Structures are given as structure tokens and as C-alpha cells.
Amino acid sequence: MEHNLSRTEDGQTELTIRWNQEDDPMGFLYGWVTKGHLESFLRTFPKPGEGGNPVDAEDAYRLALGLNWLAELTDRRLELLLLLLRDQYKASWGTLGAALDASRSTAKSRYQKIARQYAEHGDYVDETGIHSGPPAEVKQLVENRLRSRDHQDRLIEKAVSKLKAGDRVGHRLDTARQGTAVKTTALGQWVIDWDDEGELLTAGEDIVPLG
């Protein structure tokens, strides 16, 4: 897929998007354009206080239909991305919270709900990507994993709560990465002086106290 943003000679902005069958195998993008949903987005998004300035009830209905279609499908894509972030790429709750503009606890709750919803259909994500299996087995797998992670989270929180400036620490995602705790900050974060890297703000859940 390619896109190009440019300005015309008369000062207008021009966006050109090109895609092929491989980019849009199910025709979502094609349908978004031909059904007028792209127009709904372009008319309403830039001026949130105007609602797209519909000319009548039918026009307002079409705008609402297009935005709802986009919102529903976008939310489903977001759900899968949250699973990929946490289960494949091992992102912290803080990272998920930042992606959602929400607290870590809210992000965690939403992730758990999504993981269970996917498991109902036999789908789950692990370090190697997206997988499917018998729903009953996948549901058990996911529940066991969620319980295990809750236990690990509590252990980490307890260990980090005892952390003091000067203590040596490692990183949850890279056992070879080590540093020295400098000071704590708000929201459960620490400034860590990572060896060969310098001081970096680090989420408490990514810190593993050493010794």
C-alpha cells in the first residue's frame, strides 16, 4: 500500500492512496470508499463541532452509518493490536495504558476481557503470533495464563515496593540488561541508571530487583 500527500498549485492538499488485492483481500477499503463511509469520515472528523453539516435527515443518517461502520471495525482491529502488544511483544501495562490513553488498571481489565472474548472463539496470541484451536482448550489455556500473570504481577509489585535507591535491578524483557535504581516517581515508575545507557524512566512492572 502506498500513499502520497502533496499540495496543488492553488494551495489545496491532495492525498493519493494506492492499494492492490493483497493489501485489501476482503475489500474493506474498497467498500469504505464506494459506500460513502470515507466521505462520512472526511466530512465529520476535521470539524468535530459541526457534525459534518448534514443537509437533511437522510444525509445525517448516512454520516452516522459511515462513522459507526468505521468505529466498529476499528475497535476490533484495536482489540487484536492490544493482544499482540501484550502477548507477542510483551509490552507493559503502562504501554497499553498509553496506547488507550487510560490507566494501567483500565488497560489490564480491557486486555483480559478481550483475551477471554477471543478465547471463546478458539483464538489466542502468544510469542509467535496469532493461533486458533478448540475453544474449550483455548479458554483453559487463556484462563491459566491470566491467573499466572496476575500472580506474577503481585510478586513484582511486592518486590518493587521494597526497592531502594542504589539497589541493582534487571529488566523484565532482557535478563542481560542491568542497572541501578536512582529514585522513584509518580505512577509506580522508577528512574533507573541502566549500565551503558544512562538514566531512563522505567515502569515498575518492568523492573526485576537483583539480590
Side-chain angles (χ1 to χ4, degrees), residues 5 35 57 61 65 77-78 86 97 106 113 119-120 136 153 157 165 179 192 196:
L5 189 64
K35 294 177 181 178
Y61 169 78
L65 180 68
R77 273 59 170 179
L78 173 60
R86 184 64 183 178
T106 298
K113 179 180 179 181
E120 288 285 342
D153 286 347
E157 288 174 3
I192 304 296
D196 302 321

Side-chain angles (χ1 to χ4, degrees), residues 128-191:
T128 61
I130 307 167
H131 305 282
S132 297
E137 294 180 13
V138 173
K139 286 171 63 177
Q140 188 62 55
L141 170 69
V142 169
E143 284 300 327
N144 290 341
R145 190 164 63 180
L146 291 177
R147 283 196 296 269
S148 175
R149 287 179 175 174
D150 273 339
H151 179 65
Q152 292 174 6
D153 286 347
R154 287 192 292 271
L155 291 178
I156 292 173
E157 288 174 3
K158 183 177 180 180
V160 172
S161 69
K162 300 178 181 179
L163 192 65
K164 303 183 299 298
D167 288 349
R168 293 290 291 175
V169 301
H171 196 282
R172 175 176 65 90
L173 300 180
D174 184 356
T175 55
R177 188 181 180 192
Q178 297 185 6
T180 303
V182 177
K183 61 181 179 180
T184 186
T185 67
L187 303 177
Q189 296 180 314
W190 271 82
V191 174

Side-chain angles (χ1 to χ4, degrees), residues 4-16:
N4 180 60
L5 189 64
S6 61
R7 283 197 173 276
T8 63
E9 292 183 357
D10 59 357
Q12 297 187 69
T13 302
E14 184 173 81
L15 173 64
T16 303

